[in-house]
Amino acid sequence: MDRSQLYGLIISQLKDDGYMSAARAVASATMQDPDHEHDPHALSRMLQSPQRNPKRSSSARPSASATRVDLETRFITTHKGLCRTACYSADGAFVATGSEDTTLKLLDVSKMGSAQQAGDEASRPVTRAFYDHTHAVHCVAFHPSGTTLASGSADHTIKMFDTMAANKRAGSSITDSHSVNSIAYHPSGELLLAGTDHGAPHMYHLKQPNQCYLPHETTHHTGRITGVHFSQDGSLYASCSEDGAIRVWDGASSAAVMELPGAHDGREVWSVVFSKDGTQLLSSGADSTSKVWDVRAAKQVRVYQGATHRSHAVNTCWDRDENLIFSHDDASNSIVAWDAKSGQVLAKKRTDHKQGARCVVASPTDRCLMTCSDDFRARFWVF
């Protein structure tokens, strides 16, 4: 039993005993829904049952629960509009979130991890807030150095913010011809890739930000681009689109290298990300599956099922070791965790977001992740 379930049982027992004010106080402190119905006698039955502690031989095989992923919310931050994007810095020290309220927040991961409860603002995890967009923030990305935070917006701009300076406004910006849906830095930090409502990935050299470089027109997507990502060595980049295709491009020439048409049964593809060694791609789509692809062979390696993605776009991500895969299930409003090798569902944890999560991102260095939701909130989880 995780803490969220335990808190729910305590709240139900207090309500059944007539301590309504105490029940609501516990619900408020633990960020639980005070009106959610639990069996009011479950806690007392559990306490009255005999304790069992069977001895195990050292040669016994680990049980299935040994591979279970236990997710726990440690901190919640709230925007004033829909929260739909987040990313970690390369060193895992910070998380940035972006919202339709046009703002970005910079959060200290260590402070979120040490928060005493989910709503604990005393530890001040939110270190900075940035304001410079005029429309919704769709995507965020840290420069490899970690000192610059970039954001793409429906206002057709990409803004660059200095995370070390006191200025809350962007130090520089790029004006694009289309709404910006996804951005990614080249590992060198000299190039910025943008996926927009246009069918071609837009490449910018940061020393010449007014010049946009496009692949050959015959290789463009036929729908808006929903995701872009560089391989870790920068030799390749990938794009995915509402046209149902995933494309891989040469990182230097932007020549088309590989195409996966109809990658998710012809449905929209929501996200694409390279594995650390650049040999595989992880994607999510409107067919309610996540998939791993072999880049060289242009073939599907594995399918992950158990998370509905039909009502809105949501991404899929690897954990730091690429042993786990995370996404969100619309049907149960849950985070889903799979074993990356077997495809087995290891966990399905209700998020307690009041609306569905639109973004799930895992830390590159630690066992933690962030979810962003249309309920205006971003939740920090440990597992």
Side-chain angles (χ1 to χ4, degrees):
M1 178 182 297
D2 62 25
R3 292 191 181 185
S4 180
Q5 292 172 312
L6 177 60
Y7 294 152
L9 294 180
I10 292 172
I11 292 164
S12 294
Q13 186 68 55
L14 288 169
K15 288 167 63 177
D16 189 60
D17 291 343
Y19 300 110
M20 299 302 296
S21 60
R24 293 197 173 275
V26 172
S28 176
T30 58
M31 303 301 292
Q32 302 295 307
D33 182 356
D35 298 320
H36 185 74
E37 293 298 326
H38 291 273
D39 179 355
H41 305 296
L43 183 62
S44 60
R45 286 199 303 270
M46 183 176 67
L47 294 175
Q48 292 168 7
S49 63
Q51 298 296 311
R52 297 178 180 178
N53 187 24
K55 295 182 180 181
R56 296 183 180 179
S57 67
S58 58
S59 60
R61 294 182 180 181
S63 65
S65 63
T67 59
R68 193 176 63 187
V69 179
D70 290 319
L71 288 149
E72 177 188 351
T73 300
R74 284 292 180 86
F75 186 76
I76 300 170
T77 189
T78 305
H79 281 272
K80 295 180 180 179
L82 309 180
C83 183
R84 292 185 172 178
T85 184
C87 71
Y88 278 84
S89 58
D91 61 3
F94 293 95
V95 171
T97 60
S99 168
E100 288 205 350
D101 66 9
T102 75
T103 69
L104 295 85
K105 288 187 179 185
L106 184 68
L107 300 105
D108 186 305
V109 171
S110 64
K111 289 182 179 179
M112 288 193 290
S114 61
Q116 295 302 306
Q117 59 189 40
D120 180 16
E121 292 286 352
S123 55
R124 299 186 182 276
V126 181
T127 63
R128 300 288 303 280
F130 299 107
Y131 314 85
D132 214 10
H133 285 291
T134 58
H135 291 78
V137 177
H138 288 165
C139 50
V140 286
F142 280 95
H143 187 276
S145 69
T147 59
T148 299
L149 175 64
S151 58
S153 168
D155 63 13
H156 296 201
T157 68
I158 301 169
K159 305 280 188 179
M160 272 72 78
F161 301 89
D162 187 334
T163 60
M164 307 299 289
N167 191 3
K168 295 182 179 180
R169 301 289 179 179
S172 59
S173 67
I174 295 170
T175 300
D176 198 277
S177 55
H178 294 75
S179 177
V180 182
N181 305 316
S182 178
I183 54 176
Y185 275 103
H186 186 276
S188 68
E190 297 179 356
L191 302 172
L192 185 66
L193 181 64
T196 73
D197 282 356
H198 185 219
H202 292 185
M203 186 78 76
Y204 293 95
H205 197 296
L206 296 180
K207 292 183 179 180
Q208 299 174 316
N210 294 325
Q211 180 66 49
C212 178
Y213 299 90
L214 305 178
H216 193 277
E217 188 173 357
T218 59
T219 61
H220 293 185
H221 287 281
T222 58
R224 75 184 189 103
I225 293 177
T226 52
V228 292
H229 194 247
F230 271 106
S231 61
Q232 201 164 74
D233 63 1
S235 63
L236 299 171
Y237 65 87
S239 60
C240 60
S241 169
E242 287 187 345
D243 68 4
I246 297 171
R247 293 177 182 266
V248 177
W249 318 78
D250 184 274
S253 68
S254 288
V257 174
M258 186 265 282
E259 180 185 6
L260 296 167
H264 285 263
D265 291 338
R267 303 293 300 279
E268 299 95 328
V269 186
W270 300 135
S271 68
V272 63
V273 59
F274 279 97
S275 60
K276 291 180 180 178
D277 63 8
T279 63
Q280 295 184 327
L281 283 170
L282 173 64
S283 65
S284 66
D287 64 342
S288 297
T289 68
S290 297
K291 298 183 178 183
V292 169
W293 306 87
D294 184 301
V295 174
R296 292 181 181 177
K299 291 183 178 180
Q300 179 181 297
V301 175
R302 191 165 289 106
V303 180
Y304 303 87
Q305 297 178 315
T308 305
H309 292 165
R310 291 194 179 94
S311 64
H312 58 245
V314 64
N315 69 305
T316 298
C317 67
W318 270 298
D319 77 328
R320 61 176 184 176
D321 301 316
E322 298 182 351
N323 292 325
L324 300 172
I325 288 174
F326 292 99
S327 194
H328 178 262
D329 175 43
D330 294 349
S332 62
N333 193 16
S334 301
I335 300 171
V336 182
W338 292 272
D339 181 284
K341 293 182 179 179
S342 69
Q344 177 187 357
V345 174
L346 300 179
K348 210 165 190 177
K349 169 70 174 180
R350 284 188 58 84
T351 66
D352 290 328
H353 282 297
K354 302 306 179 185
Q355 297 187 49
R358 302 297 296 270
C359 177
V360 182
V361 290
S363 167
T365 58
D366 299 298
R367 290 178 61 85
C368 56
L369 56 83
M370 204 83 175
T371 56
C372 301
S373 170
D374 282 356
D375 68 0
F376 300 5
R377 294 174 174 83
R379 286 177 174 260
F380 174 75
W381 304 78
V382 295
F383 59 91

